[in-house]
């Protein structure tokens, strides 16, 4: 069912004058699902290893300062993600960060973007492999034994295989993994709720003013999902409205979850 309309849009000014073909389905069947998958993909990119450093810096600077940082940095991250999405929409072809930098800023900026992106990606991937392998070791070593390093190699191998199958498989796995992670966090909240105390959560800061810079860096890293923003456009098949919705919902929900985890953790420790 549903009326299908086809619109051919000419990429004015594009050097190869290629055309894009968009399909508008009157029933909009499947589109909301893609928006949810795209939102979960961004949430999965944001909620990661940085999550576990937030409770520590929250205790160092105190709850009021941490709450102000989450509001301010969360708003900046949302604005940054949406601006990045608008740049992707403005490009006639689908490009990544380096391609966008080359197209709009020139080759020198593309080189800087490539260097920064490569170093940033490698650093974050190493962190995820180390922490993911450690968690895998804690969960499976009592049953299967083995060294922690072996689990880290296995974790990296599984991630490599998933990536080789392309974005559809990656987004599906990310959706399942994010759902399981949210379920695990919900279970932790339920089990720890009886021990939570607002008095502990609102205790005065244990650090000094110099810890504000540390907290800024940790919270900024824990709420950033910029590398995943460009992938969402492909997941929603170029639907601009749903692309913006996915970026907005994914950023806001992930930021709230990270802040809630910090508030919960410092209230039971």
């Amino acid at each position: 069912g549903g009326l299908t309309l086809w619109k051919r849009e000419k990429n004015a000014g594009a050097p190869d004058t290629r055309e894009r073909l968009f399909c508008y389905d009157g029933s909009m069947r499947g589109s909301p699902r893609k928006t949810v998958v795209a939102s979960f993909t961004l949430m999965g990119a944001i909620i990661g290893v940085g999550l576990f450093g937030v409770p520590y810096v929250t205790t160092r600077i105190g709850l009021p300062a941490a709450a102000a940082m989450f509001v301010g940095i969360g708003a900046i991250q949302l604005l940054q993600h949406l601006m990045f999405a608008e740049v992707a929409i403005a490009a006639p072809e689908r490009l990544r960060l380096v391609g966008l930098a080359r197209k709009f800023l020139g080759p020198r900026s593309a080189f800087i973007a490539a260097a920064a992106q490569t170093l940033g990606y490698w650093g974050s991937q190493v962190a995820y492999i180390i922490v993911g392998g450690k968690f895998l070791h804690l969960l499976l070593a009592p049953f299967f034994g083995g060294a922690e390093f072996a689990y880290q190699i296995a974790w990296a191998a599984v991630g490599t295989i998933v990536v080789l199958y392309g974005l559809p498989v990656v987004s599906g796995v990310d959706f399942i993994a994010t759902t399981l992670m949210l379920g695990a966090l919900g279970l932790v909240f339920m089990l720890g709720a009886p021990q939570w105390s607002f008095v502990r959560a609102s205790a005065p800061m244990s650090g000094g003013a110099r810890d504000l810079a540390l907290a800024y860096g940790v919270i900024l890293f824990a709420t950033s999902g910029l590398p995943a923003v460009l992938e969402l456009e492909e997941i929603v098949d170029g639907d601009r409205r749903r692309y913006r919705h996915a970026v907005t919902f994914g950023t806001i929900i992930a930021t709230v979850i990270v802040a809630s985890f910090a508030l919960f953790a410092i209230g039971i420790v």
Side-chain angles (χ1 to χ4, degrees):
L3 177 64
T4 300
L5 302 177
W6 292 90
K7 176 185 176 183
R8 191 173 296 276
E9 178 179 278
K10 189 81 168 181
N11 288 329
D16 55 359
T17 63
R18 286 181 294 180
E19 297 177 343
R20 283 182 178 177
L21 199 59
F22 297 93
C23 174
Y24 299 91
D25 190 345
S27 65
M28 297 302 290
R29 184 172 299 170
S31 295
R33 180 187 63 82
K34 290 183 178 181
T35 305
V36 172
V37 171
S39 298
F40 269 64
T41 299
L42 182 57
M43 289 166 58
I46 294 174
I47 305 173
V49 67
L51 175 75
F52 302 103
V54 177
Y56 170 74
V57 297
T58 301
T59 61
R60 299 293 295 177
I61 66 174
L63 186 59
M69 275 198 177
F70 266 108
V71 173
I73 294 176
I76 292 172
Q77 293 286 26
L78 176 60
L79 180 62
Q80 182 178 227
H81 291 171
L82 287 173
M83 290 173 66
F84 201 22
E86 291 300 325
V87 172
I89 291 173
E93 61 270 55
R94 287 182 181 172
L95 301 172
R96 295 296 179 260
L97 176 61
V98 178
L100 291 172
R102 179 179 292 107
K103 182 175 184 62
F104 294 110
L105 300 175
R108 183 174 300 178
S109 297
F111 175 79
I112 296 174
Q117 189 175 43
T118 301
L119 293 175
Y121 279 2
W122 275 106
S124 62
Q125 290 308 309
V126 169
Y128 281 119
I129 290 171
I130 292 174
V131 176
K134 185 180 290 291
F135 283 150
L136 202 63
H137 178 261
L138 291 173
L139 290 173
L140 300 181
F143 304 99
F144 303 104
E148 182 179 302
F149 181 71
Y151 285 91
Q152 291 168 342
I153 294 298
W155 182 252
V158 170
T160 302
I161 293 172
V162 171
V163 170
L164 288 176
Y165 277 96
L167 186 59
V169 175
V170 171
S171 61
V173 171
D174 210 6
F175 177 81
I176 296 173
T178 303
T179 302
L180 293 175
M181 179 179 61
L182 293 178
L185 288 175
L187 183 61
V188 170
F189 288 165
M190 290 175 57
L191 296 177
Q195 285 76 41
W196 189 84
S197 169
F198 182 76
V199 175
R200 285 194 292 267
S202 58
M205 66 179 183
S206 59
R210 65 182 182 277
D211 290 307
L212 290 173
L214 173 65
Y216 172 80
V218 171
I219 295 175
L220 184 70
F221 177 76
T223 56
S224 176
L226 200 62
V229 170
L230 296 179
E231 310 295 339
L232 307 189
E233 185 182 20
E234 188 172 344
I235 295 175
V236 298
D237 294 331
D239 188 317
R240 298 180 179 185
R241 183 174 65 88
R242 297 191 181 280
Y243 185 23
R244 295 184 181 103
H245 287 174
V247 172
T248 302
F249 295 149
T251 303
I252 293 176
I253 295 173
T255 302
V256 170
I257 290 174
V258 173
S260 300
F261 176 79
L263 177 62
F264 179 80
I266 65 176
I268 62 175
V269 174

